[in-house]
Amino acid sequence: MTTGRRLACLLVAAGLLAACSTQAQAQVEGNTAERIRIAWPADDGTLTPYTFDIGYPLMTLVYDTLFWRGGDTDEWLARRLRRSQAGRRVEVLLREGARWHDGRPLTARDVKFSFDYYAERYNPRFTPQLEAIESTEVVDRRTVAFNLRHPSPGFRDLPLSDVPILPRHLWRGLGRGETPPGLPVGSGPYRLVERTPGERYVFRANDDYFLGRPRVRTLELPFNRDFDETVRQLASRDLDMIPATLSDRVQEEIRESSFETEQGLYYTGTSLMLNLREPPFDSARARRAVSEALDLRRITRATVGVSENSFAADRGYVHPQSGPASEGELHRFDLERARAEFAALDLPPITVLAPDNDPVRRTAGEQVVLALTRAGADAELETMSAGELDTAMGANDTPTFQAAIRPIPSLASYNPDFLRLLFGSQERQAPFNYSGYRSEEFDRLAAAAARETNPNERSQLIRRELRLLARDAPEVPLFYPEGAFVFRPSIYDGWDYVEGQGILDKRSFLQTDIDAEAPRSGAAPPAAPAGAGVGVLGVVALAMLGLVVVVIAVGAVRRARQS
């Protein structure tokens, strides 16, 4: 299993390339489409919670969670959450009407089974989120209770908005490493009806979905790895939308009246990760010198341009406009001090690794090298394929990289409890700690923040975490780009922009009011005529400006290690 895939998401957030052939234009009727084609970067197995690598967004088309982050409301399979006064018991009431794709009803027994299963069968994304759970119990057919070891104020988000629910009748009795035979069965708005290894996925709308029939009937996902070719196809109208945030330059290249752009805040950023396991970056002094050499505003301008929604990452390892962000700047740019430190430290040459097919992060690497060179360091950029970068980051053996450009997962900005999975010292509780950072102080602060129920006290603990990370510099956050999603509204214009995430959300394809107890009354939405051309579906929750962002983005799951 490659390091990039083990990191991929989250985040994974980070977004994905959607390519859409339009040899025949789709006929749209009431924001519906009969068929949509999406370019996916790789064959990702059968897309169960234990077999996907980079495909969390696709997996969530098939499987539902209890809640769903972002948007006006977050209830999904759950109708209501109730906490005990002490905060150590959480009861969740399920909606009526949810069924598995094979027709069986989804009940509280499935929910209990799922959380117990993830606790017993290690999954690097989901199992660490269950640390607070002591036990689960079925109260009645529609109610499940979680008994917690300690209060967990972020529990509604992590794990309840992230962990997919499994059908008990198909998963119970399986041996370790086994999954149910055939294509996955979930409760989500789409079924995976075809997987042609190495070629494509085909999803079909779940007509009996408890929130109403999806507005797009069929999703076809041919595997396509070439970002530059995808942009060319969009510019030539062979594509209808790319569910990835695009730079100003790319937008200008393809801008025309037939496209529209949805813009807003985007929580997936870019950072410089350092390897703390060996010299020179086992030294905090050396890491701080690197950090002080980086003018984040200059790097941001040169890499993603200037817009009202693009930000230098100067308030810590979360988006500056998110709730957990520091109230003041944490990053210190001091070129003269960096020069003095580099001269005193006499560091060996520094090699910064960057993906060769991600133009934004490749440019970020170039800017980092320029900044280090201005400060007197001997630095060079090395670009490589995703597989080579995986190996350097420790895919199969000890990591050999010094510094690498990588994504910042959006989950950290939604819920800073996710920082523990990125920087914690315990391997099984921090599966995405690839810098090798170890800090008892960070572990103590993160554990205290996860338990603190007073909002003000919790915020202060989180900000202390961010200050500590800025001081110790296992990673130097660089920037957060604007979310800019280009699509052709004549094909489909029912996109739902979620702050921090963009339009890459399954809510974009449901017309029902998800705050209601049952699907909206009336007939299902009409589909475009059979044989119509194709549109495109944005199904990703993480940023991606090329395959490498999918492959390295934190937040999507590694193939589970069985233990």
Side-chain angles (χ1 to χ4, degrees):
M1 174 50 52
T2 65
T3 297
R5 288 177 178 250
R6 288 178 295 181
L7 284 170
C9 127
L10 321 176
L11 153 96
V12 133
L16 276 167
L17 302 174
C20 174
S21 170
T22 54
Q23 296 176 347
Q25 288 290 316
Q27 298 182 29
V28 177
E29 208 176 311
N31 277 338
T32 66
E34 175 64 25
R35 187 172 60 128
I36 286 178
R37 295 192 68 201
I38 308 158
W40 190 257
D43 187 341
D44 203 19
T46 55
L47 297 176
T48 76
Y50 277 88
T51 57
F52 79 92
D53 284 333
I54 62 174
Y56 183 84
L58 300 186
M59 190 270 294
T60 61
L61 293 176
V62 178
Y63 295 89
D64 285 317
T65 54
L66 294 174
F67 296 89
W68 192 238
R69 72 175 54 86
D72 296 330
T73 183
D74 66 350
E75 291 87 0
W76 207 259
L77 286 173
R79 182 68 182 128
R80 185 176 67 243
L81 179 146
R82 182 172 59 195
R83 295 177 186 265
S84 67
Q85 187 172 3
R88 293 187 56 186
R89 183 177 173 88
V90 176
E91 290 190 358
V92 174
L93 174 68
L94 302 179
R95 294 176 184 266
E96 287 279 14
R99 290 184 174 274
W100 299 108
H101 293 153
D102 60 11
R104 294 202 183 193
L106 188 156
T107 72
R109 296 179 70 193
D110 295 298
V111 176
K112 171 181 166 51
F113 171 82
S114 299
F115 281 84
D116 290 347
Y117 195 90
Y118 293 121
E120 296 168 1
R121 308 286 180 92
Y122 185 78
N123 183 299
R125 174 160 178 161
F126 305 129
T127 304
Q129 299 180 29
L130 311 184
E131 177 270 335
I133 299 176
E134 186 171 58
S135 65
T136 60
E137 63 181 82
V138 173
V139 177
D140 57 41
R141 184 175 176 275
R142 291 180 61 197
T143 308
V144 63
F146 299 90
N147 299 304
L148 307 184
R149 295 184 176 91
H150 54 77
S152 177
F155 193 73
R156 185 179 183 120
D157 184 75
L158 293 176
L160 300 189
S161 296
D162 200 62
V163 170
I165 305 304
L166 303 169
R168 175 178 176 270
H169 62 284
L170 296 178
W171 284 77
R172 63 180 174 179
L174 294 176
R176 291 192 178 277
E178 294 182 351
T179 57
L183 296 175
V185 173
S187 63
Y190 286 90
R191 297 196 63 174
L192 179 61
V193 296
E194 179 187 332
R195 176 204 171 207
T196 304
E199 295 184 14
R200 69 170 184 169
Y201 292 126
V202 177
F203 293 84
R204 191 69 42 76
N206 177 7
D207 291 343
D208 297 322
Y209 193 50
F210 69 102
L211 292 176
R213 194 177 84 186
R215 291 181 289 184
V216 179
R217 179 66 173 166
T218 301
L219 313 177
E220 296 185 10
L221 289 89
F223 305 141
N224 183 343
R225 297 172 178 268
D226 192 327
F227 169 71
D228 291 334
E229 176 61 23
T230 300
V231 173
R232 286 192 291 270
Q233 290 180 30
L234 180 67
S236 64
R237 294 190 179 190
D238 290 327
L239 308 179
D240 300 308
M241 191 274 259
I242 295 179
T245 182
L246 302 181
S247 67
D248 292 342
R249 178 187 61 80
V250 174
Q251 290 185 63
E252 287 300 323
E253 289 177 358
I254 63 175
R255 194 178 303 280
E256 56 175 293
S257 59
S258 62
F259 292 105
E260 290 185 6
T261 304
E262 288 283 353
Q263 296 169 301
L265 297 181
Y266 199 54
Y267 285 173
T268 299
T270 294
S271 74
L272 173 68
M273 182 174 64
L274 304 174
N275 185 356
L276 279 61
R277 299 173 182 85
E278 59 186 31
F281 297 126
D282 57 344
S283 163
R285 185 180 176 187
R287 300 195 301 271
R288 291 188 195 112
V290 167
S291 179
E292 290 169 345
L294 303 182
D295 183 344
L296 300 188
R297 286 176 173 78
R298 183 172 184 168
I299 291 172
T300 302
R301 289 194 302 270
T303 305
V304 296
V306 179
S307 75
E308 63 177 348
N309 292 311
S310 293
F311 298 90
D314 55 13
R315 297 197 177 191
Y317 198 85
V318 294
H319 193 284
Q321 299 296 303
S322 67
S326 171
E327 295 175 340
E329 293 184 10
L330 297 181
H331 180 265
R332 177 185 180 186
F333 168 56
D334 190 334
L335 183 56
E336 293 306 314
R337 178 177 170 82
R339 283 175 174 163
E341 286 291 88
F342 282 139
L345 290 167
D346 191 25
L347 299 180
I350 299 170
T351 300
V352 177
L353 306 184
D356 61 10
N357 66 339
D358 178 348
V360 167
R361 293 195 169 94
R362 185 174 62 240
T363 301
E366 293 168 354
Q367 291 299 312
V368 166
V369 167
L370 286 173
L372 295 177
T373 302
R374 282 193 293 268
D378 181 0
E380 65 175 359
L381 179 70
E382 182 177 350
T383 61
M384 56 183 56
S385 70
E388 292 169 329
L389 191 57
D390 291 344
T391 299
M393 292 173 65
N396 304 306
D397 204 343
T398 303
T400 59
F401 77 101
Q402 288 180 310
I405 302 296
R406 80 164 193 174
I408 299 172
S410 61
L411 282 177
S413 296
Y414 282 115
N415 187 340
D417 287 345
F418 191 73
L419 293 172
R420 289 195 298 173
L421 278 70
L422 297 165
F423 299 106
S425 300
Q426 298 181 20
E427 182 179 355
R428 287 176 64 85
Q429 293 300 315
F432 307 124
N433 183 348
Y434 289 93
S435 67
Y437 180 61
R438 297 291 185 269
S439 168
E440 291 183 2
E441 184 179 359
F442 174 83
D443 293 341
R444 178 180 57 80
L445 289 171
R451 292 163 169 76
E452 181 55 64
T453 58
N454 181 293
N456 291 331
E457 293 294 329
R458 176 172 160 84
S459 293
Q460 290 304 312
L461 288 166
I462 290 165
R463 287 167 181 165
R464 288 173 63 187
E465 288 180 63
L466 296 175
R467 288 196 297 270
L468 179 64
L469 291 173
R471 186 197 73 187
D472 290 351
E475 292 191 39
V476 183
L478 300 176
F479 57 81
Y480 289 86
E482 178 178 58
F485 300 86
V486 179
F487 64 94
R488 196 183 316 174
S490 62
I491 300 301
Y492 186 74
D493 66 351
W495 308 102
D496 182 6
Y497 195 104
V498 178
E499 182 173 290
Q501 178 176 310
I503 63 177
L504 317 172
D505 192 290
K506 61 186 177 183
R507 280 168 294 202
S508 288
F509 304 94
L510 298 173
Q511 72 163 0
T512 188
D513 177 5
I514 66 172
D515 196 35
E517 174 66 27
R520 183 186 305 170
S521 60
V534 294
V536 74
L537 167 65
V539 293
V540 224
L542 300 173
M544 171 175 166
L545 288 175
L547 170 65
V548 70
V549 180
V550 174
V551 174
I552 346 178
V554 176
V557 172
R558 298 187 266 186
R559 292 197 192 276
R561 296 172 294 185
Q562 302 298 319
S563 64

